[in-house]
Each structure stands twice: as structure tokens, then as C-alpha cells.
Amino acid sequence: MPRFALRCRACHTVSAAPDAYACAECLGPLEVSYDHTLTGEALRDAIRSGPTSLWRYAPLLPVATVPDDPVGWTPLVRADRLGRELGLDELWLKNDTVTPSFSFKDRVVAVAAQRAKELGYDTIACASTGNLAGAVAAAAARLGLRAVVFVPATTEPAKLAAVTTYGARLVLVDGTYDEVNRLVGQIAEERRWAFVNFTLRPYYVEGSKTLLFETAEQLGWRLPDALVIPIASGAMFVNNAKAAGELVATGLVADRPLAFFGAQPAGCAPVADAFASGAPRYVPVKRPQTIAHALAIGSPADGNLVLEIARRSGGAVEAASDDEIRASIALVARTAGIFVEPAGGTTVAALVRLAERGLLPRGGTVVAYLTGNGFKTPDVVPLDTDAVVRIPARLDAFEDALPEPPPTVAGRELAEVR
Amino acid sequence: MARLRIPTVLRPLAGGAAVVDVPAGSLGSLREAIRGGYPALAERVYGSDGRVREFVSVFVDGEDARDLGDDRPIGEGSEVVLLPAISGGA
Ligand SMILES: [Zn+2]
């Protein structure tokens, strides 16, 4: 009996095809369900003896074999100074800015690409807002596959240069992400390419479970009290809830209430808006307007399930303006030394708002996912000219510019860095 | 006459065809044409109330037709695309 199968989330029919993403009966989303033979201490031992990558959780992932492809096992950083600013006693940041292509997408693509190889595909492909394109291109290069990626023509150039450098074919589409998505949905019906977020979507989304697997292990095999997660399609949110269920079901952690909080940019916040209004379903956003391009999905595939999970778990979905996002990029850089892209800024901005509103457990364990690196979006935060002096290459010029005791501006900066 | 594109998973219900021509001048007549020509396909796409089912998306020349009324015209040579609603997302 196979260890895992694809099962319809809606009608629970098991899929006959291993590379389908929609149920043949009702077109509902297929998801991976497992027959966990390894549990408890035996599973913990297997994980401990595995590689220091997301592949240590292979018994909980939908792959037949474990590739030599080190992705994941990123730092979980205790953020006491940021926590103090927000009035949170135990705040942790999952730093997924330091992965092979500098976003969490490396996790989902690692799983999908391995599955693509196992199913005999030679080309992996995707529709992307930018980060996924880089992750697919990088994974193809690591694993010896071909890559074709589709992105909106407005995607940040910094994200695209990497894509072609990795050797991928890049298709720029004139349209929003949702329009790219629909086009690629049609192409995926016609080409035998492994479109990681279509053809292999059930496997792909499983990769984001590893964020919580790692977090739980790094916390000493326990669940946090609250998770703050950015929402684009909502797949990370939904699959982290699935991960929590699997961690409990396999006896890796004790069951405890875990509140799921979501973050969206105000310029594309269909799920946050529905959460605020109490609506059971979101209304699609036709023209997203935000600096957080990675989160600019107006019709999030898992948006309605996000709403349900946020409500059921005692969480919330919060929206933050572009100004708050920029300020939060600076805040987390200054207090934790992590430079995030606007998606990460959105998460921190939501964290700030949720803390201010008293919705996060002040004394509890709060974890926020920082999912992409700020060096990918250098134009978002301008150089802070107040922090800059320019001097001739002479010692006296330096002494004039930064005399001791330091002037107020430099003094503030130096004191806070210590 | 509109061109109807059918996703892989539903093609067995249309004799294996990826694209079929259906006589339709509006969303309402499209539904009736599919019901007449491909009843098994219609069953998967439309509920008994005539609305597009939850996990199906219908696009008419690129526009999501879920909440457009039966009277929405479909031009001669229009392309109607059926897709699983849960598709993609980054
Ligand atoms: Zn089903």
C-alpha cells in the first residue's frame, strides 16, 4: 500500500492519476493524504538522523526518494528587541530569506521538482509573481531539469535577471498575476510540462508544511501559540494548518490551541476585507495596487479556506498599507538584522497591528514567517540619507563629520545597533 | 457559435475532445447547448440551479463568467474556457 495518495478535499475521492490537481468527480482541489506508519519517538529519531534540510521530514512529505538537494532548515530567530517594541514576551522570526533563491518558494519547489523527476517529467514550469520563477529556475539548474516560467511583465527586474541567469526560459505576459495564472492554467492542460503550481500543485503546497515542521522542532518539539503568515494564494496558510494537524497526529508534538493569523497588503486584501466584514467568502480584487508584488493575488485559490481556519483557530487576517509595509521592513531590519522584501514587511506590519490591537497572546509563543529577501526588491526602501555622511579620504574630515561624543543622529543609530 | 475549451479531467465527458463548437449567443443558451450536446459534461459544470459549480471556472473571452447573468451575450467566435477553479496561485 502506498504511503500517500491524492484525495479530493471536497468529496474525498482518491485520484487515479498521480499528476492531477483537480478531482475527476467534482473538480475540487486534490491534496496529499498519508498513511503514517512511523509515529512518536521512532519518527522523531528518523527525523533527527536525517539531513539538516527540509528532507529530514521526508516521512511527512510526498516523495518516493530523498534527493541530495539541501533546502530549508532555516534559522528560527528569537526577536527580543522587536518583541519588546510590540509588547510580546516571546517572539520568534522564521528567517526564510536565506534559502537557495532567497525566498520560501525553494521549499515548495524542492518537493514539486523532486516529484516531477519521479513522475518522469523533464521540464518544470510555473506562473509566478517573481519569487516562484526564481525558485523554479534555480531548482531546475540544481536538478538538471529544464525550466519555463511565466510572470507578469511588471515583475521586479531584480527577480527576473536571476531567472535567465539560472538558464530558464522566461515568458513575460502583459497582464496581472491572475491573468497570467489563467493563461498558464490553459497551457498546463496542453503541454506535458510539470507546472509546479498547477499539474503538481498537491505536491508543491506540501513543501510549505516544512516551515512549521522546522519551527516545531526548533522550539523543542512544541507548537507555538500563534503563527503570523503572509497570504498570497493562501496555500502556505492552509498547509501550515495541515502541518499542525500532522504534527499532532503523528505524536511529534502535544496538541494545543494554535491561532493562525494572516497578513495581506491593503492594496490587495480580499481575504482581510472578508475577515473584517464577517463575510464567508472573499470578493476578488481585479486590479491589485501594492508594493508587495509577491502577495498581489486578487483571486487567492485558498482564500475562503484561510477565512475558515483563521476564524476557527481564534486568529485573524490583517491588512497593512504600503507605508506600513515600508516602515516594517525598516523595523525588522533595525531590531532583528533581517532584510526582508515587501511580503515580509507585510507580515511584520500585520504583526505590529495585531499586537497593537491586543489580538496576539502577550505572554505566548508567537512566530512570524519572513518569506523573502529584501535584496530582491532593492527599490522599495530608498537609502536613508539621514544616516549617510560623505567625506574626503582624510582622518580630520572623518573626525569633523562624526566627532566624539557622537551627534544625535549617528548616536541614535549606533546606540540601537548595540 | 462559440468555441468551448475543456480541461483534461473533463474531456472524457465530451468524447475526448479538447475543443468543441457550441451554438450559443448568451451564457444562458451556452448552458442549454452544453446540456443538450454533452449532458454528462453539463452535470459537472452546472448545479441543478443552473449556477456554475463551486470548483469550476468559466471564462468568456478572458472574463470570469461566474457572476454574470444568463443574458450576458456571447459573440460569434467567442472563446469559452472551462478550468478547475482551484488552479495556480503562487
Ligand atoms: Zn471531488
Side-chain angles (χ1 to χ4, degrees):
Chain A
M1 187 171 155
R3 190 170 57 81
F4 57 86
L6 298 184
R7 188 185 298 272
C8 176
R9 196 195 274 163
C11 77
H12 308 295
T13 302
V14 172
S15 170
D19 50 0
Y21 66 96
C23 172
E25 296 301 317
C26 76
L27 267 72
L30 296 175
E31 62 180 17
V32 181
S33 69
Y34 296 87
D35 181 18
H36 293 296
T37 47
L38 209 54
T39 58
E41 201 49 48
L43 176 55
R44 222 171 287 159
D45 283 345
I47 291 169
R48 255 194 298 268
S49 62
T52 48
S53 72
L54 59 77
W55 297 114
R56 67 201 277 105
Y57 308 105
L60 304 170
L61 294 173
V63 292
T65 54
V66 172
D68 180 16
D69 186 27
V71 173
W73 197 250
T74 57
L76 181 71
V77 183
R78 179 82 184 239
D80 283 339
R81 274 184 297 141
L82 179 56
R84 266 199 300 279
E85 292 210 12
L86 303 181
L88 299 172
D89 295 343
E90 193 196 334
L91 174 64
W92 300 82
L93 302 174
K94 183 64 171 158
N95 183 5
D96 249 25
T97 68
V98 287
T99 64
S101 73
F102 308 107
S103 87
F104 93 99
K105 293 292 186 189
D106 289 317
R107 295 178 182 275
V108 286
V109 171
V111 174
Q114 172 59 19
R115 198 65 188 132
K117 285 190 92 166
E118 291 174 1
L119 295 172
Y121 288 92
D122 62 7
T123 301
I124 55 176
C126 68
S128 171
T129 58
N131 281 333
L132 178 56
V136 163
R142 294 198 306 273
L143 301 175
L145 297 163
R146 284 186 299 170
V148 185
V149 306
F150 299 73
V151 300
T154 51
T155 304
E156 298 97 327
K159 291 180 175 174
L160 299 182
V163 168
T164 54
T165 306
Y166 285 126
R169 190 91 170 109
L170 175 64
V171 183
L172 299 179
V173 181
D174 294 319
T176 63
Y177 174 75
D178 294 285
E179 288 165 332
V180 178
N181 194 49
R182 190 170 64 244
L183 171 66
V184 172
Q186 290 182 59
I187 296 170
E189 296 290 337
E190 310 303 332
R191 290 282 172 106
R192 204 186 130 76
W193 291 344
F195 285 88
V196 296
N197 52 341
F198 292 83
T199 333
L200 298 187
R201 185 170 186 79
Y203 304 107
Y204 163 90
V205 297
E206 288 282 297
S208 60
K209 293 191 312 188
T210 59
L211 277 163
L212 188 60
F213 293 164
E214 289 177 16
T215 297
E217 186 176 358
Q218 288 164 324
L219 287 172
W221 288 119
R222 65 185 173 97
L223 291 176
D225 297 293
L227 274 179
V228 185
I229 299 177
I231 295 170
S233 72
M236 180 194 289
F237 193 99
V238 166
N239 283 279
N240 270 262
K242 186 170 186 268
E246 292 177 2
L247 283 166
V248 171
T250 53
L252 287 173
V253 300
D255 196 2
R256 66 191 287 191
L258 167 52
F260 285 85
F261 293 89
Q264 289 200 300
C268 183
V271 187
D273 290 347
F275 187 90
S277 74
R281 304 178 66 83
Y282 73 83
V283 177
V285 170
K286 284 223 170 76
R287 293 282 150 193
Q289 288 285 351
T290 172
I291 56 169
H293 294 182
L295 304 182
I297 297 182
S299 298
D302 286 320
N304 294 323
L305 195 48
V306 167
L307 277 174
E308 194 187 313
I309 292 167
R311 286 177 175 137
R312 192 195 328 135
S313 70
V317 185
E318 190 66 77
S321 71
D322 281 359
D323 284 345
E324 291 173 297
I325 293 168
R326 283 196 194 86
S328 296
I329 291 173
L331 176 66
V332 69
R334 188 161 53 74
T335 57
I338 302 174
F339 185 29
V340 297
E341 68 159 308
T346 306
T347 305
V348 176
L351 183 72
V352 171
R353 275 176 164 253
L354 292 163
E356 282 172 0
R357 293 175 58 198
L359 294 177
L360 295 172
R362 170 176 281 273
T365 304
V366 177
V367 176
Y369 291 164
L370 304 182
T371 49
N373 197 303
F375 289 99
K376 291 184 156 207
T377 53
D379 299 338
V380 167
V381 274
L383 182 70
D384 178 3
T385 50
D386 289 347
V388 178
V389 289
R390 179 166 179 170
I391 58 170
R394 290 195 324 268
L395 183 58
D396 65 322
F398 164 72
E399 294 289 359
D400 284 350
L402 288 175
E404 256 185 314
T408 329
V409 172
R412 170 179 65 96
E413 306 270 316
L414 291 172
E416 289 185 5
V417 170
R418 283 200 186 104
Chain B
M1 205 58 91
R3 290 173 70 71
L4 177 69
R5 299 195 76 91
I6 302 165
T8 317
V9 67
L10 295 181
R11 285 174 196 169
L13 307 178
V19 184
V20 296
D21 289 330
V22 286
S26 68
L27 278 177
S29 65
L30 172 76
R31 182 179 60 237
E32 294 319 311
I34 297 175
R35 277 182 173 161
Y38 310 94
L41 176 62
E43 172 72 18
R44 295 289 166 84
V45 175
Y46 300 102
S48 51
D49 58 359
R51 289 184 57 82
V52 174
R53 286 189 188 275
E54 178 176 11
F55 297 117
V56 183
S57 286
V58 179
F59 296 99
V60 177
D61 295 326
E63 187 180 8
D64 188 344
R66 177 177 298 279
D67 295 318
L68 305 177
D70 276 4
D71 297 338
R72 164 67 157 76
I74 295 178
E76 187 65 30
S78 277
E79 185 173 63
V80 180
V81 177
L82 304 179
L83 282 177
I86 301 282
S87 59

